[in-house]
Amino acid sequence: MRTPPTRRVARLTSFPPDAPVPRNASRKSALLACGVVGATLFALIALGHDGRRIAQLAVLAAPMVLWLAWPLRSARMRRLRTVLVWLWAMGFALDGAVRAYLLDTYQAAPDGAMVLGAAANTNARESTEYLWMHWRSAVVWSGALAVAGVLVGMFARRGAAFDATESSVRASRSPFWTRSLVLVVLLIACVAYASKPWRRLHPAIFWAGWSQSVHTLRAAWADQEKVRDRAMAQARAIAPVALQAGPSTVVLVITDSINRDNMALYGYGRPTTPRLQAHKAQAGDQMAVLKNAWSVDASTLPALRNMFHFGLPESENPPHLLALARAAGYKVWWISNHDDLAIEQQHARLADVVDMVNRTPGRASASLDGEILDCVQEAFADTSTDRKLIVVHLMGAHPHYSLRFPENANPFDDDVDAVETGLVKDGRSAWVRRFRQEYDAALLYHDFVVSELLQQTRSAGKPDEYRAWMYLSDHGQEVGHGSDRAGHSPSTASGYRIPAVVWRNREPLPDGAAQQQPFRADWAGWTLMDLLKLQWNGQMPERNVLGDAYRWQAPKIPVAVESFSR
Ligand SMILES: [Zn+2]
């Protein structure tokens, strides 16, 4: 049989409805309730905000906390108050926890461009993968929230009840100083709620606005056709000239989250790149491994914007590389293993042929990069043009790492090697070392895909046809390199250390010494224009790493880098 409702009520409230309450006990208990609820809230606010913001949020949160000190006669009202105070407090708590997490992990605020862009650009599957990768943080923060929730729930119930033993209101009143203090706080709270910038810090208002911004961003991306039309018109006006007579095929392989420090090609201790090394041994001076390659962005969207817009700021209205290539008569393919709205709208749709392999219905949710190889082969086989630019966008080692290689294809989790020993010596946690093994396995599979793409390029067409191939990552990845964590990393150098490799079948590439020169990915456009053999009036030979006039300039990135030549 179910418990009658009245009995449940009696258990929920500390005092049975309308029963007399001892005066002092009630007041003390109410004070304690205010104190504990207030302190819990303050702690969480302080975690996610700093400086003056903490005080501003505390004032915004105060009225509901103070309500606990206001004696209520009706038990129903007290219950309602408990629920409202709990919801209110958890709003502030959740806000504090999310902000603290973003600050700790990405040194970013939720309304910063990076977080907004990532949120707007993430679909449900990616969110799940993200949570799967970062479940430890999720557990920690959920635990903190649960503790806060229990504390607030327990003490919000003890809010002041009306003192029924004393018939006069006066008798149950608090001392003069308490009332004055409460009055002052409430007055400041009135000011806070009257002021628009202050009011906007309230979690409910802030996050409503935040979700609006995400929607606006998505809507802006959803129809970039006009922007693309303008880019094409601009490129036609620039009218780049193709210097290369005869057929020409250029392949650009952009990968994701590959840190060059984990490639044996760059001297890593685990054999993660046997196939690329075999290519290097065979290709000789037709292949250049740029030893000191850097991205200037730690996340995909800005990195790709920079790559295709020559690293020039938006205000300079830089042309788009794909538009220039098309204006010069190249047929452009975009073959991608990403399912990514912003990239598709800002770059991919500028191509003549767009193939989002990952989006094909019925495919396994995490499709491996190898899935794109057939599409690329089709592009090579296309006979409708003799100028081809084939852009391939890979998942690389984008988290979660274990999804980036076939099942049971991790040779690095069997025994303890020098890499593992080094990580232990550096004090890296077991879970970071485990991620490193998976990351390296992802790189080994990646080596297979990238080498296949190079092999396809090397063997395509007639031997005398001009062909070129460039491979680079959008950004790096931290997997216990400089800190005890794994993931995108704007705050450590690992977030920016990328591979960059060039192959072409004509004209030897820069020699060994020149390959030591640092290279920055936001200048990749200048190098690609060289590989495409396009001449245009915006040329900056000092930024083309393949040219004799190349002059390195250190980029401004958010981390201190001892030397870009390492
Ligand atoms: Zn990325």
Side-chain angles (χ1 to χ4, degrees):
M1 214 178 92
R2 292 179 61 194
T3 325
T6 41
R7 272 189 45 208
R8 239 188 297 166
V9 166
R11 267 196 289 121
L12 257 170
T13 48
S14 315
F15 310 108
D18 305 321
V21 172
R23 179 156 61 109
N24 274 336
S26 166
R27 191 178 296 152
K28 258 190 201 155
S29 148
L31 228 66
L32 188 68
C34 283
V36 172
V37 173
T40 311
L41 258 188
F42 192 79
L44 281 156
I45 290 174
L47 270 180
H49 296 265
D50 57 359
R52 205 177 55 161
R53 281 283 187 91
I54 299 177
Q56 285 181 307
L57 268 123
V59 169
L60 287 173
M64 278 294 225
V65 178
L66 292 178
W67 192 23
L68 291 174
W70 185 271
L72 291 180
R73 193 184 291 274
S74 142
R76 182 168 297 171
M77 277 305 286
R78 288 203 297 273
R79 279 200 304 279
L80 181 67
R81 178 176 64 187
T82 304
V83 171
L84 290 179
V85 168
W86 190 83
L87 286 175
W88 179 268
M90 290 321 284
F92 280 85
L94 198 60
D95 171 73
V98 169
R99 284 171 183 275
Y101 170 72
L102 290 174
L103 209 60
D104 179 50
T105 316
Y106 302 110
Q107 295 71 50
D111 49 349
M114 182 192 132
V115 176
L116 273 181
N121 201 28
T122 298
N123 56 30
R125 194 196 75 221
E126 280 176 329
S127 315
T128 320
E129 288 183 11
Y130 182 87
L131 272 183
W132 184 18
M133 165 103 181
H134 295 275
W135 64 268
R136 280 174 195 80
S137 311
V139 165
V140 168
W141 287 108
S142 308
L145 277 176
V147 170
V150 169
L151 262 178
V152 169
M154 268 167 53
F155 284 88
R157 282 170 51 189
R158 303 197 187 181
F162 207 90
D163 188 343
T165 51
E166 310 274 341
S167 53
S168 83
V169 175
R170 173 182 289 271
S172 65
R173 272 193 185 164
S174 314
F176 173 75
W177 65 268
T178 319
R179 276 179 287 145
S180 314
L181 188 71
V182 168
L183 201 66
V184 170
V185 173
L186 286 178
L187 272 175
I188 303 177
C190 284
V191 174
Y193 279 95
S195 143
K196 200 174 173 190
W198 195 339
R199 181 171 69 219
R200 273 202 302 229
L201 298 176
H202 190 288
I205 303 175
F206 175 84
W207 289 101
W210 183 86
S211 105
Q212 190 56 47
S213 310
V214 169
H215 276 285
T216 313
L217 198 55
R218 243 184 228 154
W221 288 341
D223 187 18
Q224 288 242 320
E225 208 175 330
K226 283 197 194 77
V227 180
R228 291 195 298 269
D229 288 348
R230 273 204 301 277
M232 275 313 300
Q234 182 195 23
R236 279 189 212 101
I238 291 173
V241 178
L243 300 173
Q244 168 77 28
S248 141
T249 300
V250 178
V251 178
L252 168 63
V253 182
I254 302 170
T255 188
D256 201 306
S257 304
I258 301 287
N259 182 333
R260 60 175 146 93
D261 292 334
N262 291 63
M263 300 176 85
L265 185 67
Y266 280 84
Y268 186 49
R270 283 177 180 158
T272 49
T273 54
R275 291 183 175 86
L276 276 175
Q277 285 165 287
H279 270 295
K280 176 74 190 104
Q282 232 180 50
D285 63 2
Q286 287 189 337
M287 185 167 162
V289 178
L290 303 176
K291 290 287 177 201
N292 298 298
W294 296 83
S295 71
V296 305
D297 305 283
S299 59
T300 307
L301 281 184
L304 262 64
R305 195 212 159 267
N306 265 330
M307 264 182 220
F308 287 109
H309 287 286
F310 300 87
L312 297 169
E314 199 113 38
S315 56
E316 289 180 27
N317 193 25
H320 197 290
L321 180 93
L322 299 187
L324 288 175
R326 273 181 66 186
Y330 272 93
K331 180 171 177 178
V332 179
W333 277 260
W334 184 285
I335 299 167
S336 169
N337 196 27
H338 283 250
D339 178 6
D340 188 313
L341 180 65
I343 302 290
E344 179 186 0
Q345 290 294 328
Q346 290 168 357
H347 310 293
R349 293 274 157 216
L350 275 166
D352 299 278
V353 182
V354 180
D355 214 332
M356 309 292 271
V357 178
N358 201 345
R359 203 172 283 169
T360 318
R363 216 173 261 288
S365 66
S367 95
L368 292 169
D369 278 339
E371 305 277 350
I372 52 103
L373 289 170
D374 286 347
C375 291
V376 178
Q377 197 54 55
E378 277 170 38
F380 277 118
D382 180 284
T383 51
S384 67
T385 175
D386 56 4
R387 278 188 212 288
K388 298 178 189 174
L389 168 58
I390 304 169
V391 182
V392 183
H393 192 198
L394 301 176
M395 284 292 243
H398 184 77
H400 195 297
Y401 313 138
S402 66
L403 297 174
R404 306 296 164 235
F405 58 90
E407 242 176 285
N408 304 320
N410 186 348
F412 305 118
D413 57 0
D414 299 335
D415 37 39
V416 176
D417 59 5
V419 170
E420 178 79 10
T421 317
L423 288 170
V424 171
K425 211 191 289 162
D426 287 344
R428 300 295 180 248
S429 323
W431 66 273
V432 167
R433 301 201 306 270
R434 168 97 201 140
F435 270 152
R436 176 66 80 89
Q437 293 163 359
E438 291 175 355
Y439 186 73
D440 291 342
L443 262 85
L444 180 61
Y445 176 72
H446 184 61
D447 174 63
F448 153 70
V449 177
V450 176
S451 300
E452 281 299 300
L453 290 168
L454 179 52
Q455 187 54 44
Q456 286 177 340
T457 314
R458 289 181 69 180
S459 53
K462 298 185 195 80
D464 59 325
E465 277 181 27
Y466 170 72
R467 275 163 288 139
W469 181 89
M470 182 169 190
Y471 158 78
L472 78 172
S473 183
D474 58 352
H475 52 78
Q477 190 83 177
E478 172 75 49
V479 197
H481 298 90
S483 64
D484 194 31
R485 61 170 75 206
H488 286 45
S489 186
S491 61
T492 63
S494 312
Y496 304 86
R497 296 171 68 83
I498 55 161
V501 181
V502 182
W503 172 91
R504 69 178 167 197
N505 68 342
R506 297 239 186 98
E507 301 164 62
L509 288 159
D511 57 16
Q515 290 175 22
Q516 300 289 334
Q517 297 188 94
F519 161 80
R520 44 193 280 189
D522 61 330
W523 288 0
W526 309 98
T527 305
L528 282 158
M529 288 299 269
D530 180 344
L531 293 176
L532 290 161
K533 304 268 177 221
L534 295 182
Q535 196 173 45
W536 61 307
N537 58 13
Q539 240 153 293
M540 293 180 82
E542 69 275 21
R543 294 189 176 180
N544 167 21
V545 71
L546 303 180
D548 296 332
Y550 181 63
R551 289 291 164 271
W552 164 253
Q553 264 180 297
K556 288 187 180 70
I557 57 174
V559 292
V561 173
E562 257 178 65
S563 162
F564 283 99
S565 305
R566 286 209 300 218

